[in-house]
Amino acid sequence: MIRGAVFFDVDGTLTPTSSGQHLAELVGNAEEIAQIQAGYGAGTLSSDEACVLEARGWAGRAPAGAQAFLESLPLVDGIVETVSWCRAHSLVPVLATLAWDFVGTYLCSRFGFDRACGPRLQIVDGRYSGEVAEQFDEQAKRDFAVRVAADLRLGAR
């Protein structure tokens, strides 16, 4: 029987900094990403605007390259133990994040999180187009958590 869900953020929680800033090393636009994220942090860019700007740097790149690069993503210690503890106590570990969806997919696969959310890059002919296929902002993150709780029937007790 599932007793509850535990929601984890990625950036600044499972990673010491930003997954987007780390991925900028692969893309080669670290300064630009730092400026975009600073604008988001300062409230001068919305989540949607920041996603659109960040997505442009992915144009022409293959998803497999991004997945492989995530192996070098800096992570905090104790993720394996924390996910195991959650499961041992009938708690479902879930990623609720604004990081790109492929970051959450990678972390789910590597550590056993149940599911994840996040904005999605558009793929055309097997490569990122530089466009956002699906936006995902703070409200969508909240809505995701509510849907997960409903899916797990956590409010039905």
Side-chain angles (χ1 to χ4, degrees):
M1 178 173 119
I2 295 171
R3 291 179 38 216
V6 180
F7 293 89
F8 297 87
D9 191 20
V10 172
D11 295 334
T13 302
L14 299 182
T15 64
T17 57
S18 159
S19 59
Q21 194 64 53
H22 178 72
L23 289 165
E25 294 175 30
L26 171 67
V27 177
N29 62 350
E31 269 188 48
E32 182 179 347
I33 295 302
Q35 290 176 351
I36 293 167
Q37 290 185 352
Y40 173 71
T44 59
L45 289 174
S46 69
S47 179
D48 290 354
E49 291 166 330
C51 278
V52 167
L53 294 171
E54 286 191 31
R56 292 177 184 163
W58 288 95
R61 298 202 172 267
Q67 285 294 317
F69 191 72
L70 286 172
E71 290 294 326
S72 66
L73 181 66
L75 298 165
V76 300
D77 293 333
I79 298 172
V80 169
E81 296 82 1
T82 302
V83 169
S84 293
W85 185 92
C86 287
R87 296 231 180 251
H89 291 85
S90 301
L91 300 169
V92 179
V94 179
L95 295 175
T97 181
L98 297 182
W100 292 115
D101 71 321
F102 64 85
V103 174
T105 298
Y106 166 78
L107 293 170
C108 285
S109 174
R110 181 170 172 186
F111 295 107
F113 290 96
D114 187 71
R115 59 189 97 177
C117 60
R120 191 168 45 87
L121 291 166
Q122 181 183 60
I123 299 174
V124 175
D125 296 327
R127 298 207 170 265
Y128 294 122
S129 69
E131 302 291 327
V132 178
E134 182 180 348
Q135 287 285 1
F136 203 88
D137 64 11
E138 302 84 356
Q139 288 75 32
K141 185 175 167 179
R142 176 208 56 218
D143 295 345
F144 168 78
V146 170
R147 278 193 312 278
V148 168
D151 288 349
L152 296 173
R153 302 179 46 87
L154 296 176
R157 296 171 207 223

